[in-house]
Amino acid sequence: MRLLLLNGPNLNLLGLREPGLYGASTLAAIEADLQERAADLGVELACFQSNHEGALVDRIQAARGAESGENVAGILINAGAFTHTSVAIRDALLGVAIPYVELHLSNVHAREAFRHHSYLADRAIGVVSGFGSASYRLALEGLVGHLQARGGVG
Ligand code: CA2
């Protein structure tokens, strides 16, 4: 069973800039930790980060069903600023019909008004926001629990 973690623009800077806002962990460390936790849960996790909207759309499309893609069972997505702007990423996620969890390091609802709207949240299984790098683990546990309840994992 394969899952996919997607990170959007500027998240490659994690741990290198603004540690007060986004924490001291690098993206590589977060990805490695999550891959270990995924293995403990008996699932495989692929990771992808891009600063480019189209590259994220392409990666989502590549994840689709077994006949034409990777047959990814679920997606974890921190779309970064694209969360608040991207109809294209929303359309890609709905187009492949893969269940997804939206996640954020910061509590977007405690920040500027333009971060309060998400193009992804209303069709997500759930949203995790505000727990720093722990948001990634919580989102993974939520996604795997959802898929298990549906009979897709384990
Ligand atoms: O809290 C989150 O995870 C966000 O998705 C982060 C985005 C922001 O636009 C969203 O509203 C909330 C920004 C990511 C920027 O990442 C940086 C990391 C280190 C240094 C500078 C930026």
Side-chain angles (χ1 to χ4, degrees):
M1 190 60 53
R2 195 151 205 243
L3 305 182
L4 175 63
L5 170 65
L6 294 175
N7 279 285
N10 297 308
L11 288 158
N12 56 312
L13 298 178
L14 282 178
L16 309 175
R17 305 259 194 289
E18 298 200 63
L21 185 54
Y22 295 119
S25 303
T26 63
L27 183 58
I30 290 171
E31 289 175 344
D33 174 71
L34 214 64
Q35 275 169 332
E36 264 182 45
R37 284 174 185 268
D40 291 344
L41 294 169
V43 299
E44 189 190 328
L45 181 71
C47 301
F48 181 77
Q49 186 276 332
S50 180
N51 295 324
H52 303 278
E53 189 175 22
L56 291 162
V57 169
D58 286 344
R59 189 66 191 84
I60 291 164
Q61 289 187 11
R64 66 188 183 274
E67 68 292 345
S68 52
E70 298 169 8
N71 203 20
V72 164
I75 293 176
L76 302 164
I77 181 163
N78 183 352
F82 289 151
T83 306
H84 320 296
T85 64
S86 182
V87 177
I89 291 175
R90 175 192 177 87
D91 286 347
L93 288 165
L94 300 188
V96 296
I98 298 172
Y100 64 91
V101 172
E102 173 183 332
L103 74 101
H104 301 284
L105 294 145
S106 62
N107 176 357
V108 289
H109 296 286
R111 300 183 64 189
E112 304 96 320
F114 64 81
R115 297 186 204 274
H116 298 178
H117 178 259
S118 164
Y119 278 98
L120 313 181
D122 63 307
R123 301 297 292 272
I125 295 162
V127 179
V128 181
S129 184
F131 296 95
S133 59
S135 290
Y136 286 82
R137 296 182 199 165
L138 294 166
L140 175 68
E141 285 163 20
L143 178 59
V144 171
H146 171 87
L147 294 172
Q148 278 171 341
R150 266 188 16 175
V153 174

